[in-house]
Amino acid sequence: MGKEMTGAEMVLQAMKDHGVKHIFGYPGGAALPIYDEIFQQDDIQHILVRHEQGAGHAAEGYARSSGKPGVVLVTSGPGATNMVTALTDAMMDSIPLVCITAQVPTHLIGSDGFQECDTVGITRPCTKYNWLVRDVNDLSRVLHDAFHVATTGRPGPVVVDIPKDVQFATGIYHTPDPEGRSSYQGYEPRMKGDENAIAHAVELMAHAKRPILYTGGGVINSGPEASQLLRELVAATGFPITSTLMGLGAYPASGRNWLGMLGMHGTYEANMAMHDCDVMVCIGARFDDRITGRTDAFSPGSKKIHVDIDPSSVNKNIRVDVPIIGDVTHVLKDMLAMWKARAPEPDLKSWWTQIETWKGRRSLAYRTNRDVIMPQYAIERLYQATKGRDTYITTEVGQHQMWAAQFYHFDAPNRWMTSGGLGTMGYGLPAALGVQVAHPDSLVVDIAGDASVLMTMQEMSTAVQHNLPIKIFILNNCYMGMVRQWQQLLHGNRLSNSYNESLPDFVKLAEAYGCVGLRADKPDELDDAIEEMISVRRPVLFDCRVANLENCFPMIPSGKAHNEMILPAESEGAEEAFAGGKALV
C-alpha cells in the first residue's frame, strides 16, 4: 500500500529509498518546493555549487569514485540548460547521473513562460532516457525507473523534469521494487555473454602468437570484481595489456604485463603492439577515434574480440570477428573459467622480446632543465609525494591531462577521474569536489591547466563553504597548451588566441576565496611546496610554473595509423610530419 505525500516529498523519499546521501545543486523558483523539503530533513546533505555545470561535474566525480549514482537538482530554464555540458560528458563517459530538473507549471508549458525551456527535447540527445512528469501519481515510478536506468547496463545520465504544480500536488508514493526491477518496458540489459562466442574467443586466444588485451572504462564501470578478474586473466594468459584513458587503474600500472596507455598520446609499445597483434581482446572499450587513429589501417592483421554491454557499440567503428554482448564481470568469469579448463600454454617469448624492443625507444622520455620545471617532472614529483597515500586524481582537459595519464601511475580502479569522450575543460575542479564529498578523509588532487581551471574557478567558493580540502595543482604554462601545440604543428605556428595574456595571480585568487595559495617557479622548490600542499587541510590553489612551449609526445597525428607515431626524439620534424604525411617511426 502506498503512502500519500506531495511530489516534492516524493523526490526526497525516493532518494532516501535509493541510498542517496548527497545532492549537488542550485536553487531557483521552479525548484523551491523540493528545496523546502530539503530544508526540513537531515538525512541527505545538499552541496550548494556556484554554477549548475559545476553540480553536474561534481556529481560525476562522486559517481566515478564511489560507484554510486551522482544526483543533481537544478531549476527550470537556464538551470537545466547549464546542465547540458555535464550531461553530455556523463553520456560520453558512461557515468551514472540522476538529474532532477524543475519545470514551470503544467498549464504554462509551451507558453514561453518565465524560465521555461523544453528540457526533455534539449536533453534527449545527451541522456540515456528522460521523463516529463505531468501526473504526481506517476512520479514515484519514474524516479525509481530513473535510478534503475542510470545505474544498470551501460551507465549514463537520466533527467526527470518535474513541473512546479506537480511538486505541490498530493499523490500516492510507492516504494521501489524489492527485486530492483524497472517498470520501463523494453529495457533489459544483457548480463551474461553468449557461451559459444566466449568459447570461440578463448580458442582464438589460445592459438595467438601476438595477443593483446585492450581494456577501457567499462571494466571499471562493471565494479571492483571486474578489475580483479581482469588481473587474474592477465596472470593466467601472460598476455600484454593496455588501456584507454578511461580504463586506467583497472590493471595496475606497476603490473609486469602493463604496456601503458594506448592511443593518440599513448606509449610507443602499446600502440605498436596494437598495430602488430594477431589477436586483440577488447574489454569494455568502444574503439573511439582517439584510440584507432586511421580506421582503415587499424590493427590490420588481427582477429578482434569485443566484450561490451552496449550492443550499439559493437561493430560501430571497427568490425570485429567475435562480438560478445554482456557485462564485463560475467563475461570475464566465464572466459577465465574456460581458459583454465583448457589450460593452454601459449609461447609468447618472441612477442615479449619484440615488445621489449619497442619499450627501448623510451617514448615517454623528456628533456630535463635545472632552471625550469618541466610539466612531466612536476607530475612525477606529485606522484612520488602521493604514492602510498589514499589519493584520488581528477584532471581538467589538455596537455596536463595527457601528462597526468602518462606519468601518474594508477594501481587501483576508481582513483582517476577525467573527461575522456567530450574533453570538457573545467571538469576537474568540480569533479574533485564530488570526489572529496564521497571520500572526506582522502587526498583529492585536481591536475589542472591554467586555461581549463578558470572555466569553473567559482567552485572554489563551494570548496570553502563545505570545508572540502581539494588541491588544485595547476601546470601553468600561460597557454591553452594543446591548442597551442596543434597550432604549432598543424597551422604553421600561427598561435591564434591560444596565449593567456591576463592570467590572475593564482596565489592572490586563492586568498580572495579564503583558500591557501602556493607557487613554485624552480625545480628545487617543487618537493617542499607539494608537501605543504598535501599537509594543509584546506582548499589549495598551487601555481606550478612550467615550461611554456613544451609539447606532449608521443603523438599519433590526426588521420595517421598506430605505427606512424611522433616520438619525443623526433619531434623536431613534427611540423613536416603533420603537413606532409611523413611517418617518423
Side-chain angles (χ1 to χ4, degrees):
M1 185 69 180
K3 182 180 178 181
E4 189 174 80
M5 58 181 73
T6 67
E9 290 176 311
M10 290 182 187
V11 172
L12 271 294
Q13 187 59 53
M15 290 182 184
K16 293 172 186 177
D17 287 346
H18 287 278
V20 175
K21 300 297 182 185
H22 300 94
I23 305 171
F24 302 88
Y26 200 93
L32 289 185
I34 300 174
Y35 272 93
D36 192 47
E37 291 300 324
I38 289 174
F39 184 85
Q40 298 179 65
Q41 57 83 51
D42 298 314
D43 296 323
I44 299 175
Q45 181 186 4
H46 180 275
I47 308 297
L48 176 65
V49 297
R50 299 306 183 261
H51 189 281
E52 289 88 355
Q53 181 183 347
H57 294 324
E60 285 188 274
Y62 185 96
R64 184 73 171 173
S65 65
S66 69
K68 303 173 183 177
V71 179
V72 181
L73 171 61
V74 297
T75 195
S76 63
T81 58
N82 282 343
M83 267 296 297
V84 168
T85 297
L87 290 170
T88 309
D89 192 274
M91 188 69 175
M92 294 283 279
D93 287 344
S94 305
I95 309 299
L97 295 189
V98 175
C99 177
I100 308 297
T101 59
Q103 184 55 274
V104 299
T106 52
H107 70 276
L108 289 179
I109 292 176
S111 71
D112 294 331
F114 177 68
Q115 291 194 333
E116 181 198 356
C117 71
D118 180 6
T119 300
V120 166
I122 289 169
T123 63
R124 184 174 289 119
C126 60
T127 54
K128 279 187 72 175
Y129 204 76
N130 59 17
W131 296 262
L132 170 61
V133 183
R134 291 176 175 268
D135 185 339
V136 69
N137 289 301
D138 294 332
L139 183 54
S140 61
R141 172 186 56 80
V142 168
L143 290 166
H144 301 325
D145 284 353
F147 278 93
H148 180 76
V149 171
T151 56
T152 56
R154 178 181 175 179
V158 298
V159 164
V160 180
D161 197 32
I162 311 175
K164 191 170 185 177
D165 58 324
V166 174
Q167 298 171 45
F168 278 124
T170 301
I172 302 299
Y173 176 84
H174 297 280
T175 57
D177 182 275
E179 301 296 323
R181 292 169 298 196
S182 169
S183 66
Y184 177 46
Q185 298 298 313
Y187 179 70
E188 296 180 3
R190 188 189 304 176
M191 303 301 285
K192 291 281 288 183
D194 181 79
E195 288 190 6
N196 291 329
I198 297 172
H200 186 193
V202 170
E203 186 71 16
L204 286 175
M205 292 162 64
H207 290 92
K209 301 297 182 184
R210 302 184 310 279
I212 190 167
L213 294 168
Y214 152 41
T215 59
V219 179
I220 295 172
N221 287 341
S222 185
E225 188 179 2
S227 294
Q228 182 57 42
L229 289 167
L230 177 64
R231 296 164 194 228
E232 292 178 24
L233 183 66
V234 173
T237 61
F239 287 6
I241 180 170
T242 183
S243 167
T244 66
L245 182 74
M246 297 303 294
L248 295 177
Y251 181 81
S254 60
R256 59 181 297 184
N257 293 47
W258 177 241
L259 303 186
M261 183 180 71
L262 79 155
M264 179 172 281
H265 292 286
T267 65
Y268 184 63
E269 54 267 29
N271 283 326
M272 289 302 294
M274 286 284 284
H275 185 271
D276 285 3
C277 69
D278 63 354
V279 173
M280 177 188 299
V281 187
C282 173
I283 305 173
R286 56 187 175 87
F287 293 99
D288 72 281
D289 60 292
R290 290 290 162 130
I291 297 304
T292 63
R294 208 177 98 203
T295 54
D296 63 348
F298 175 71
S299 194
S302 69
K303 294 289 186 181
K304 299 175 181 66
I305 300 160
H306 189 187
V307 179
D308 204 295
I309 200 168
D310 181 5
S312 70
S313 291
V314 177
N315 290 322
K316 182 177 183 178
N317 299 320
I318 297 291
R319 297 294 299 179
V320 299
D321 301 279
V322 185
I324 304 172
I325 309 300
D327 175 69
V328 167
T329 299
H330 288 78
V331 173
L332 284 180
K333 278 182 182 177
D334 292 342
M335 185 177 284
L336 195 56
M338 290 184 190
W339 180 273
K340 290 179 177 178
R342 200 180 189 286
E345 295 184 8
D347 182 6
L348 305 180
K349 289 181 181 178
S350 62
W351 182 226
W352 277 108
T353 299
Q354 176 60 72
I355 289 172
E356 290 301 320
T357 301
W358 288 328
K359 285 184 178 180
R361 298 294 294 271
R362 299 181 65 242
S363 63
L364 296 183
Y366 62 92
R367 56 194 174 89
T368 57
N369 192 310
R370 292 183 178 180
D371 300 317
V372 178
I373 300 173
M374 302 305 291
Q376 303 94 325
Y377 178 75
I379 301 296
E380 288 183 325
R381 299 317 301 162
L382 177 66
Y383 171 70
Q384 290 300 324
T386 56
K387 183 172 63 173
R389 300 176 188 261
D390 180 20
T391 307
Y392 293 82
I393 299 294
T394 72
T395 78
E396 308 297 334
V397 168
Q399 287 179 318
H400 63 276
Q401 177 190 29
M402 295 298 105
W403 284 316
Q406 291 171 343
F407 292 95
Y408 199 101
H409 309 295
F410 296 93
D411 279 348
N414 304 103
R415 299 284 172 156
W416 165 250
M417 276 57 65
T418 195
S419 174
L422 193 61
T424 305
M425 294 174 71
Y427 167 90
L429 197 165
L433 294 175
V435 176
Q436 194 77 79
V437 170
H439 307 277
D441 298 322
S442 301
L443 174 64
V444 182
V445 182
D446 171 30
I447 298 174
D450 51 279
S452 277
V453 76
L454 288 174
M455 289 203 166
T456 51
M457 179 58 73
Q458 68 275 3
E459 300 305 338
M460 290 304 291
S461 180
T462 304
V464 172
Q465 177 180 342
H466 294 283
N467 300 310
L468 301 171
I470 58 173
K471 320 299 181 187
I472 312 301
F473 189 72
I474 305 169
L475 299 186
N476 186 352
N477 59 13
C478 299
Y479 281 95
M480 299 174 204
M482 195 62 83
V483 173
R484 195 261 322 141
Q485 177 171 334
W486 278 70
Q487 288 174 334
Q488 176 189 341
L489 300 178
L490 189 60
H491 297 281
N493 204 33
R494 293 181 291 277
L495 306 186
S496 176
N497 291 281
S498 56
Y499 177 60
N500 292 327
E501 294 189 46
S502 57
L503 284 173
D505 182 324
F506 285 109
V507 173
K508 290 182 178 178
L509 184 60
E511 293 168 353
Y513 275 116
C515 307
V516 174
L518 300 172
R519 177 181 292 130
D521 294 283
K522 303 291 183 182
D524 59 5
E525 301 171 355
L526 198 51
D527 285 354
D528 288 344
I530 289 174
E531 284 299 330
E532 184 178 356
M533 176 188 77
I534 293 170
S535 65
V536 173
R537 285 294 298 174
R538 292 169 59 196
V540 176
L541 284 178
F542 187 124
D543 186 3
C544 183
R545 301 298 183 93
V546 299
N548 294 93
L549 299 177
E550 182 71 357
N551 283 333
C552 184
F553 291 111
M555 182 176 185
I556 302 174
S558 180
K560 301 298 180 182
H562 276 164
N563 63 338
E564 297 178 287
M565 295 189 75
I566 302 170
L567 300 187
E570 299 151 337
S571 59
E572 295 299 324
E575 187 173 343
E576 291 79 7
F578 270 71
K582 182 177 69 174
L584 294 175
V585 297

